Amino acid sequence: MDIPPSTHLQSLHHIADQCPYDFANMHLMANHHGFIGSGADLSTSTLLHAYRCGVFPWFDDDEPICWWSPKERCVMLPDEFTPKKSLMRTAKKQPWHITTNLAFTQVIEACSQPRAYADSTWIHQSMKTAYQKLHQLGVAVSVEVWENTPQSSALIGGLYGVNIGAIFCGESMFHRQTDASKIAFWGLMTFAKQQGITLIDCQLENPHLMSLGASIMPRQHFLSQLTSLVQQPVAGLGGQTLSITTKQLSQKH
C-alpha cells in the first residue's frame, strides 16, 4: 500500500525533530562565504533537520563536517525552465531515456569521481553512506540518463539531491556524454513540475547552472519560502520511479 504524501512528510519531520543540534538560526552565524561552523554528524535526523533549515554539509574527507548557508542561493523554478535551442536539438536526435531512482548508488558514485579540474572530491564514503540512508527513506533522489533502454544500456549522466515536501535540493551531477547532465537537469525540471515540486535549490552558483537558467535568491527570501515548502505534502520524487525519453521531453516544449 502506498503511503500518503502527508503521512510520509510527517514521519520525516518526526525524524528531523530527533536531531540533537539546532540548525534553525545557524544562518545568523554564517560568514561572508556562508560557512556557519563544523561538527555534529551525518545521521539521518541531523541531515533532515539541517535541510529543512536551509543548511547543508560540504567538506573534504580530511576535514571535520562543515555546514553552509550561503548568503545568496542559486535556485530554479521548474515552471520557468526553458531549454536552449541547442539542448532541444540534442533531445530530438538522441535515443536517451531519463529515469528516477533506478540507480542511486551508481549516480552518487559517478558524482564522487574526481573531475578534470580537481583531483579531490567532497563526496567521500561518509557522505555516500549518509545519502544512501536518505535514499532508502525516500528522501534522497537520483535522476539517471541512459544511452538507450534504462538499466540495459550505459548510464551516461545523472544527478542526485534531497526532496522534502515541495523543494528539491540538488547536490551534484555528472556526464559521460556531451549534454547528458543538462538532459538530466531538464528531466528533473519536468518531473518536479509533474510531481508538485515548485523550487529547485541549486545551492551554490556556478557557470554551468547559470547557463541552464538558474537565478540568485537572497538567503532570507529563500528561508522564508523554505519554511512553507518543506511542509507541503506533494507527490514528490522520493521513492518514485518515473521515466521519459529525450524525444518526449522535446515534445513538451
Side-chain angles (χ1 to χ4, degrees), residues 177-207:
Q177 289 194 28
T178 302
D179 285 343
S181 63
K182 294 180 180 179
I183 289 291
F185 194 77
W186 185 1
L188 171 64
M189 295 300 115
T190 301
F191 293 142
K193 187 175 179 179
Q194 172 186 320
Q195 299 295 108
I197 295 171
T198 56
L199 185 66
I200 307 296
D201 170 26
C202 303
Q203 298 179 343
L204 299 168
E205 174 188 356
N206 66 46

Side-chain angles (χ1 to χ4, degrees), residues 10-248:
Q10 288 174 2
S11 69
L12 295 182
H13 284 294
H14 177 72
I15 295 171
D17 288 341
Q18 310 309 307
C19 175
Y21 313 104
D22 184 10
F23 287 95
N25 294 305
M26 277 198 172
H27 64 276
L28 299 173
M29 301 167 57
N31 66 14
H32 178 72
H33 300 289
F35 174 65
I36 60 176
S38 61
D41 56 49
L42 295 176
S43 68
T44 298
S45 62
T46 296
L47 287 172
L48 286 174
H49 179 48
Y51 275 98
R52 71 178 180 180
C53 294
V55 175
F56 59 87
W58 183 34
F59 60 102
D60 289 334
D61 198 17
D62 59 352
E63 296 178 329
I65 301 171
C66 296
W67 300 92
W68 303 80
S69 178
K71 182 179 180 180
E72 293 183 325
R73 209 80 174 207
C74 184
V75 300
M76 173 71 78
L77 303 177
D79 282 344
E80 296 182 2
F81 176 77
T82 301
K84 291 189 175 181
K85 290 182 179 179
S86 59
L87 195 58
M88 286 283 288
R89 289 194 293 269
T90 297
K92 289 177 179 178
K93 72 180 182 181
Q94 296 291 1
W96 298 348
H97 282 66
I98 306 97
T99 59
T100 61
N101 300 312
L102 287 184
F104 184 86
T105 299
Q106 291 171 258
V107 168
I108 196 170
E109 184 62 36
C111 288
S112 75
Q113 298 304 305
R115 311 299 168 96
Y117 52 82
D119 293 329
S120 62
T121 174
W122 58 272
I123 308 173
H124 31 78
Q125 190 55 53
S126 61
M127 292 284 275
K128 286 186 278 189
T129 299
Y131 285 83
Q132 283 279 8
K133 292 178 180 178
L134 288 181
H135 178 63
Q136 293 165 7
L137 196 61
V139 176
V141 172
S142 60
V143 176
E144 303 91 14
V145 180
W146 306 90
E147 193 169 37
N148 204 303
T149 306
Q151 297 182 294
S152 298
S153 63
L155 180 66
I156 59 172
L159 59 85
Y160 79 97
V162 172
N163 178 202
I164 302 176
I167 187 169
F168 180 91
C169 304
E171 285 296 319
S172 186
M173 59 175 66
F174 80 98
H175 71 275
R176 292 170 177 158
Q177 289 194 28
T178 302
D179 285 343
S181 63
K182 294 180 180 179
I183 289 291
F185 194 77
W186 185 1
L188 171 64
M189 295 300 115
T190 301
F191 293 142
K193 187 175 179 179
Q194 172 186 320
Q195 299 295 108
I197 295 171
T198 56
L199 185 66
I200 307 296
D201 170 26
C202 303
Q203 298 179 343
L204 299 168
E205 174 188 356
N206 66 46
H208 181 59
L209 290 169
M210 299 307 286
S211 73
L212 291 171
S215 60
I216 300 302
M217 182 181 289
R219 181 196 288 132
Q220 280 305 130
H221 187 192
F222 173 78
L223 293 177
S224 65
Q225 289 199 30
L226 179 67
T227 301
S228 171
L229 292 172
V230 297
Q231 298 293 340
Q232 294 178 23
V234 304
L237 299 176
Q240 304 277 355
T241 301
L242 306 171
S243 179
I244 193 171
T245 66
T246 50
K247 291 183 179 179
Q248 289 171 331

